Amino acid sequence: MKKVTIIGGGVIGLCNAYYLTKAGYQVRIIERGDIHSGTSFGNAGYVSPSHFVPLASPGIVAKGLQWMLSASSPFFIKPRLDWDLIRWGFTFWKNATAATVEKNATPLFNLLNLSRELTTDIKNDLGNSFRMEEIGCFMMYKSLQVEKHELELAEEAKKFNLETRFYNAQEIQDMEPDVEVNVRGGVLYPIDCHIHPGDFMRTLTSYLEEAGAEFQLNTTVTGFTKVGKTITAVQTDKGDFETEDVILSTGSWLPVVSKSLGIDMLLQAGKGYSMTFENISKNLRYPAILVDSRVAMTPMGGDLRMGGTMEISGLNSPQLIKRAQAIYKAALTYYPGLDVSFPDPKNIWSGLRPLSPDGLPYIGRHSAYNNLIIAGGHAMIGISLAAATGKIVEELVSNKPTSVDIKAFDPERYR
Ligand SMILES: Cc1cc2nc3c(=O)[nH]c(=O)nc-3n(C[C@H](O)[C@H](O)[C@H](O)COP(=O)(O)OP(=O)(O)OC[C@H]3O[C@@H](n4cnc5c(N)ncnc54)[C@H](O)[C@@H]3O)c2cc1C
């Protein structure tokens, strides 16, 4: 069987490997780290068909500019004279229109929906050692203005036959008997589910090791050997690896790695933070996005994770603890009696979301080479989209028709 090299061992790389291994390919994953931390580990773990509105959407630019004036806001762009950032920002701004969202929501929803089904299939195949709970996810709000926006969104969701349930403050309190909830109301999307992303990564890794996939860890890809339009080997700091097909799934580092192939990818890293409180005595029952503050709350068994913020400050900027403090403070205004304390800064996690300028991933073959597939740019929904991305990558390698139309995800759309 064909030798396939996957570069990047985040959730996208591992899901690619899962479906390729199942299809019988000889799979090698080259990962710079050790697959024990990184963006795919500390995120909120939602698998959410309800996130069908791409990140670039009307109002987001104005809201972002307003947020930038406050140090504790959920959004920050570090001002710098960087041509890639300027180009990305301009393209994002051009995409943040009702017409583009209208065009992109359907392909995004189809991919999300496929992925939701496939994530359950993975659970059925590998066992639920990643704490998957299929009880939906709340969008909770405190203000009338945000309520109005969420009700409009719920109306939009009807287009995709997504079930929505509306709850007032008392009804939500009844559903969360162990913690005090201070909200105006919320919309529950029952189709959504959540997992423990770190356990998901560990489950996939164990399966892949047993199934014979090769992990080349602590190995950085530095270049490629090419013959005409074919990549024949992947060059790394540990030597060269011959290959037949190459999949680039390097998350926020996609433009760095693609550059050595002469390919320019428009993408910025969007840093987010999370804190995990272990074995808390009175936990939430439902995951919830606290929409006014853009904070995500995820109960994971006895643990509780809170996460949020979007900081566009490059690949190597330091953690800003005040951003994590803002998440924590906002969470406590929704759940005032929560029995948690702000963690030691060394226990604050941060990760980099790979942001394309329209909020859609890049998935597909690249015409510069006859054996290169790109699978990246999954922004805020990489866990949600991982299973479907893996399945489509396998279909592309196998030259089969893809399960959903992937035209909208063309990696060359900003060439
Ligand atoms: C706070 C926060 C909350 C989030 N919550 C959710 C959520 O609830 N649901 C959801 O769907 N998504 C969520 N996300 C987004 C999700 O985490 C990402 O979309 C996803 O993890 C991206 O996966 P990836 O595999 O593309 O990238 P990564 O996980 O970053 O993996 C890329 C890998 O490539 C490796 N790499 C890079 N360069 C090289 C090289 N030269 N050689 C070898 N290896 C290399 C890196 O080391 C890295 O491990 C959240 C993100 C954040 C920050």
Side-chain angles (χ1 to χ4, degrees):
M1 245 331 197
K2 235 201 250 178
K3 274 190 212 160
V4 184
T5 304
I6 296 168
I7 307 174
V11 72
I12 301 300
L14 294 195
C15 280
N16 296 339
Y18 171 79
Y19 285 100
L20 287 164
T21 305
K22 289 259 165 209
Y25 291 100
Q26 227 183 303
V27 172
R28 174 185 288 127
I29 299 138
I30 305 182
E31 164 55 47
R32 195 180 46 187
D34 61 0
I35 318 206
H36 280 113
S37 56
T39 304
S40 296
F41 277 80
N43 60 70
Y46 299 157
V47 180
S48 306
S50 65
H51 288 26
F52 59 85
V53 175
L55 182 61
S57 53
I60 189 99
V61 175
K63 188 82 195 151
L65 290 172
Q66 181 194 333
W67 272 333
M68 278 188 69
L69 301 175
S70 156
S72 57
S73 74
F75 180 71
F76 174 67
I77 297 188
K78 185 177 170 199
R80 55 201 194 277
L81 263 181
D82 173 337
W83 175 237
D84 289 336
L85 174 64
I86 294 165
R87 229 161 39 98
W88 180 90
F90 181 66
T91 313
F92 185 94
W93 171 73
K94 276 204 316 192
N95 278 317
T97 64
T100 307
V101 168
E102 171 78 24
K103 178 166 71 80
N104 288 344
T106 300
L108 182 57
F109 175 75
N110 291 340
L111 194 65
L112 283 163
N113 204 32
L114 170 68
S115 211
R116 172 67 183 85
E117 285 168 16
L118 294 174
T119 309
T120 299
D121 291 349
I122 294 178
K123 178 189 80 175
N124 294 337
D125 182 31
L126 304 183
N128 192 6
S129 41
F130 46 89
R131 309 184 216 178
M132 181 168 180
E133 281 198 68
E134 303 184 72
I135 57 171
C137 181
F138 261 113
M139 306 298 285
M140 287 194 197
Y141 37 80
K142 279 175 173 290
S143 71
L144 180 62
Q145 193 193 0
V146 175
E147 177 179 58
K148 195 167 159 275
H149 178 257
E150 287 309 312
L151 297 186
E152 282 166 12
L153 213 58
E155 195 57 36
E156 287 286 300
K158 283 188 186 157
K159 249 194 338 217
F160 302 114
N161 291 323
L162 277 182
E163 186 192 349
T164 47
R165 295 185 199 151
F166 304 91
Y167 296 96
N168 64 29
Q170 186 54 52
E171 288 165 334
I172 292 178
Q173 185 60 76
D174 293 343
M175 292 165 81
E176 288 290 8
D178 300 324
V179 287
E180 184 187 343
V181 190
N182 181 8
V183 291
R184 182 182 175 84
V187 181
L188 183 81
Y189 287 82
I191 183 77
D192 290 352
C193 68
H194 65 284
I195 62 171
H196 186 292
D199 287 349
F200 187 58
M201 296 290 287
R202 286 182 274 272
T203 305
L204 287 169
T205 305
S206 306
Y207 164 76
L208 289 167
E209 280 170 347
E210 265 175 43
E214 182 191 326
F215 281 90
Q216 187 65 45
L217 301 183
N218 302 304
T219 303
T220 301
V221 171
T222 52
F224 297 87
T225 308
K226 301 156 232 168
V227 177
K229 279 184 79 171
T230 305
I231 302 166
T232 54
V234 179
Q235 300 165 355
T236 77
D237 58 353
K238 304 269 166 65
D240 293 1
F241 296 90
E242 282 182 8
T243 191
E244 285 166 277
D245 269 333
V246 177
I247 324 289
L248 274 197
S249 359
T250 45
S252 292
W253 295 266
L254 184 58
V256 181
V257 182
S258 70
K259 203 171 178 182
S260 45
L261 285 163
I263 294 172
D264 177 33
M265 297 297 300
L266 212 45
L267 187 135
Q268 286 291 316
K271 190 190 286 174
Y273 296 82
S274 78
M275 289 152 271
T276 306
F277 306 93
E278 289 181 353
N279 292 317
I280 65 171
S281 56
K282 292 190 170 178
N283 204 353
L284 309 186
R285 306 227 170 150
Y286 284 86
I289 296 184
L290 315 178
V291 186
D292 315 62
S293 305
R294 299 293 201 273
V295 166
M297 306 288 287
T298 318
M300 297 170 170
D303 304 343
L304 174 65
R305 180 167 292 170
M306 39 177 96
T309 82
M310 178 71 84
E311 201 184 296
I312 300 181
S313 51
L315 288 168
N316 300 309
S317 63
Q319 279 193 350
L320 296 176
I321 296 305
K322 66 180 174 204
R323 301 249 160 227
Q325 281 163 342
I327 294 171
Y328 177 78
K329 278 191 198 148
L332 288 191
T333 67
Y334 285 77
Y335 302 99
L338 212 51
D339 188 17
V340 293
S341 334
F342 189 68
D344 188 316
K346 72 174 187 311
N347 293 327
I348 291 170
W349 175 91
S350 62
L352 298 174
R353 306 174 184 92
L355 307 176
S356 69
D358 53 16
L360 298 188
Y362 295 118
I363 308 171
R365 286 194 173 275
H366 197 288
S367 64
Y369 298 92
N370 51 31
N371 60 344
L372 173 68
I373 291 169
I374 294 192
H378 291 74
M380 307 169 70
I381 45 177
I383 299 292
S384 296
L385 293 177
T389 303
K391 174 112 180 87
I392 285 167
V393 164
E394 182 274 310
E395 290 164 346
L396 291 170
V397 171
S398 304
N399 293 316
K400 293 194 277 210
T402 52
S403 298
V404 293
D405 187 349
I406 58 167
K407 258 200 303 294
F409 314 124
D410 181 0
E412 298 180 63
R413 62 189 183 272
Y414 296 112
R415 210 154 53 141

